[in-house]
Amino acid sequence: MKVIKFDANRCNGCYNCQIACKDEHCGNDWMPYAKAQPDTGSFWCRVEERERGSVPKVRVSYIVHMCQHCEDCVLMAKAPEAVYRREDGLVIIDPAKAEGMKDLVDACPYGAVYWNAELNLPQKCTGCAHLLDEGWEAPRCVEVCGPGALTYVDQEELASEGCEQILPDADTKPRMVYANLPKRFVGGIAVDLQADEVVIGAKVQLQNKKTGELLETETDEFGGFWFHQIEPNEYSVFVSKEGYTTRVIETSTVDKDQNVGVIEMFAV
Amino acid sequence: MIWSDAPCWTTCWNGGNNFQDAVRSANIEFYMIQHIWMENDCNFADMLLPITTKFEDTDIATDGDNGAYNVVFYEENAIAPRGEAVSDMHFVKMVAKRLDERFGNEPAFEDIYNKYSENDRSDDEWLKLGFESNIASEKMTFEEFKDVQSYVIPTRENWEEEPAGLIGFYNAPAWFPLSTPSGYLEYYSTALAQVFPDDVERGPIPRWVDESPEHQDRITSERAKEYPFLLVSNHPHWRIHAQFDDVTWFREIQTCKITGPDGYKYEPIWINPVDAARMGVKTGDVARLFNERGSVLGGVYVTERIMPGVVYQDHGARTDTIVPGYGGLDRGGANNLIAPSAVTSKNCAGEVTSGYLVGCEKVDVFALAAQYPEQFNRPYDPDTGLIAESRFNLD
């Protein structure tokens, strides 16, 4: 069975997928799978721009959201007469039977369902079922993805590692696979204010306060350092260089990415 | 009289506000525009003629920019012309015909229609004439070309034996000099040094110029006291410069348009949280960017993606003129209107449309609407923007 895989390392936020989905469905009736999507307000495929950190340690991660075509689909449980699964695993809201079922919108924990007020219908991604029936190899969103962030892969061929869920704690058995979703980073800059210089080549150690694990790097030409893709946790940051007092900064990435800011180094 | 086709002076380049003043001058008796879309400069015309798009015209085109093979195309129209729209050439023919009828006895306009239209040559005949001047006509007739619809111009015979680029200059510069005065590559321009020795902005060698008579847009400038932000303004993410400001699927993306408290979709202004806190603004508020050249509005987008002391707003938005001219106010966020008026130097054209000083402050858009009720209540569709029925009603 084929599933959509999203690799966050490859997504550059071009929005081709979001726009292609609209191109396919806005103003187009694809019965029996879907009636036309309204021109605006529905995002059956949606790009999230997740801003992280603070100046000058800033990153934007782009994450694509859509129906997960869950094996334990909440909508199917709630309205089995109006929501069904195809043999290829795609979950379809039957437009002929789902009229008026507004509660399906809030029922989906992934926020994948949108209300079409004009047609009085809940609507969502169909996995481009109508195109697959015609022999297309993949849905529109996958077809238009230039960087190859969205791919259409055999579920059986996926390695078990590196496969993540967009909602890690959900128990709906989502069939969409994510890889390299952003975790947390810690970044900062070491400076010698007395000398009015950044400190290059300082040793920076990041200690996970729960596990004791130590990561190490060096400050760059701008005196800066990054630790990427670390777990949300409490950390200590040690900055040391010969000729300077070692500095220790406490930080937590439990809630968000951290720019620990300017760390002043004092010459001995 | 000014007669213009597809004009975009107001939002495309600097000086748009001066242009708005100029075309409203009493010295210009009449301003006629022929254009496809009801936008920007069209709002300043006395007469406006609707012109067809490429989709409505049958034409011949070439592609010599792709860096590979040159191609010539036959482009059949995809749809019939909408309403009364005609092609640019057809409209000019209509004017020529009227001139002929009414003033054909005067020497200047004698037989002008036949002269312009080359004795009423048809569109198809014009295309055939163009085709016959193209190398493709050596391989096929025009009728055959219309059938295949494109021709890829092949490489020249023995092109591999032709000298590549500047290889002559590379091998023997004395025998194959460049077209500079010295015949060599000039990092120091001998021509500029000779012809414009006193040009402090555009000298013979490019160098950093902090401030000059023509330009004072540094944060260390005196002007920065009143206009303390540097504006970063790019060729826009969601338009092709001044085109496609009306695409509904883009305008619902937050980095394309920010919906203000009045339901209007504003051109985003990116502001760092440090500055936003001091200014008392949050995402979704309306702010203005301003300097002595005027003001433009925008929708606040508080973000770490721009540093403190700098604000960001792309250029090329469609103008929605509240107060026209120098020192005026534009709701669309067409910040080229407030870009520096001066070009590179007195001797050199070149515009600054990014990296100049602006002030930035929150505005009460409802108070502005009360002050300019007619201008703030034009026919408008948030999904797409100003519509064809919108009028600026300038006096």
Side-chain angles (χ1 to χ4, degrees), chain A residues 15-32:
Chain A
Y15 280 79
N16 266 10
C17 53
Q18 181 171 314
I19 302 304
C21 179
K22 291 196 170 250
D23 183 58
E24 188 64 28
H25 290 282
C26 289
N28 289 332
D29 190 310
W30 298 118
M31 289 300 279

Side-chain angles (χ1 to χ4, degrees), chain B residues 172-290:
Chain B
W175 291 100
F176 299 96
L178 299 178
S179 58
T180 55
S182 63
Y184 290 100
L185 283 167
E186 292 188 356
Y187 294 94
Y188 177 93
S189 168
T190 53
L192 287 181
Q194 191 189 350
V195 179
F196 301 114
D198 302 321
D199 191 327
V200 299
E201 280 117 352
R202 200 274 309 262
I205 217 170
R207 61 200 167 83
W208 176 262
V209 178
D210 208 54
E211 270 197 23
S212 75
E214 298 287 306
H215 297 281
Q216 308 91 39
D217 272 289
R218 293 273 288 149
I219 50 175
T220 45
S221 303
E222 192 61 31
R223 291 179 63 243
K225 292 189 173 128
E226 234 189 304
Y227 314 120
F229 287 98
L230 279 172
L231 173 68
V232 173
S233 182
N234 289 321
H235 269 22
H237 184 169
W238 298 109
R239 287 185 287 274
I240 298 205
H241 202 208
Q243 298 178 46
F244 303 115
D245 198 30
D246 54 357
V247 178
T248 60
W249 298 342
F250 296 160
R251 290 167 64 94
E252 52 177 355
I253 295 169
Q254 204 182 23
T255 48
C256 177
K257 296 289 179 190
I258 292 280
T259 303
D262 54 357
Y264 189 94
K265 285 194 189 263
Y266 288 93
E267 188 68 16
I269 301 174
W270 294 17
I271 304 177
N272 184 277
V274 162
D275 289 319
R278 191 187 66 252
M279 290 161 57
V281 296
K282 59 187 188 310
T283 297
D285 286 342
V286 181
R288 74 178 184 121
L289 300 177
F290 62 93

Side-chain angles (χ1 to χ4, degrees), chain B residues 352-369:
Chain B
V352 174
T353 50
S354 181
Y356 57 91
L357 295 173
V358 295
C360 183
E361 66 182 20
K362 183 174 177 175
V363 296
D364 179 345
V365 73
F366 296 106
L368 276 176

Side-chain angles (χ1 to χ4, degrees), chain B residues 19-225:
Chain B
F19 180 81
Q20 290 177 346
D21 280 329
V23 290
R24 288 155 59 236
S25 160
N27 292 333
I28 297 173
E29 309 104 321
F30 188 65
Y31 184 22
M32 181 165 78
I33 290 178
Q34 53 189 86
H35 192 33
I36 300 173
W37 316 114
M38 182 59 194
E39 61 179 1
N40 300 321
D41 300 26
C42 295
N43 291 286
F44 292 80
D46 294 300
M47 180 179 282
L48 189 52
L49 279 306
I51 301 299
T52 47
T53 64
K54 275 197 92 51
F55 307 109
E56 298 153 273
D57 290 337
T58 294
D59 206 344
I60 194 167
T62 56
D63 174 10
D65 289 335
N66 59 57
Y69 290 91
N70 294 342
V71 191
V72 62
F73 299 93
Y74 182 70
E75 299 176 321
E76 274 189 283
N77 63 315
I79 53 173
R82 316 297 264 183
E84 297 176 63
V86 295
S87 73
D88 281 307
M89 181 177 73
H90 271 267
F91 175 61
V92 177
K93 275 166 65 167
M94 283 162 64
V95 174
K97 196 151 202 81
R98 296 284 181 86
L99 286 172
D100 207 329
E101 286 164 3
R102 297 178 68 176
F103 306 106
N105 52 317
E106 295 184 28
F109 299 116
E110 193 186 321
D111 207 25
I112 191 164
Y113 179 80
N114 284 325
K115 283 178 186 165
Y116 175 71
S117 70
E118 296 201 3
N119 297 321
D120 213 8
R121 194 190 289 279
S122 72
D123 285 2
D124 192 62
E125 285 168 352
W126 276 113
L127 297 183
K128 184 174 182 199
L129 194 67
F131 175 76
E132 278 161 6
S133 72
N134 187 282
I135 200 172
S137 60
E138 292 173 18
K139 300 292 180 192
M140 60 184 78
T141 66
F142 184 50
E143 293 308 312
E144 286 166 339
F145 174 69
K146 282 201 272 190
D147 207 39
V148 297
Q149 305 222 335
S150 68
Y151 178 71
V152 178
I153 295 167
T155 50
R156 269 206 289 265
E157 254 183 69
N158 303 318
W159 65 269
E160 287 127 310
E161 274 133 58
E162 289 182 28
L166 298 176
I167 197 73
F169 170 74
Y170 172 78
N171 285 324
W175 291 100
F176 299 96
L178 299 178
S179 58
T180 55
S182 63
Y184 290 100
L185 283 167
E186 292 188 356
Y187 294 94
Y188 177 93
S189 168
T190 53
L192 287 181
Q194 191 189 350
V195 179
F196 301 114
D198 302 321
D199 191 327
V200 299
E201 280 117 352
R202 200 274 309 262
I205 217 170
R207 61 200 167 83
W208 176 262
V209 178
D210 208 54
E211 270 197 23
S212 75
E214 298 287 306
H215 297 281
Q216 308 91 39
D217 272 289
R218 293 273 288 149
I219 50 175
T220 45
S221 303
E222 192 61 31
R223 291 179 63 243
K225 292 189 173 128

Side-chain angles (χ1 to χ4, degrees), chain B residues 295-312:
Chain B
S295 301
V296 301
L297 300 184
V300 175
Y301 179 69
V302 179
T303 176
E304 293 281 355
R305 294 159 81 170
I306 196 74
M307 58 180 269
V310 181
V311 291
Y312 175 106

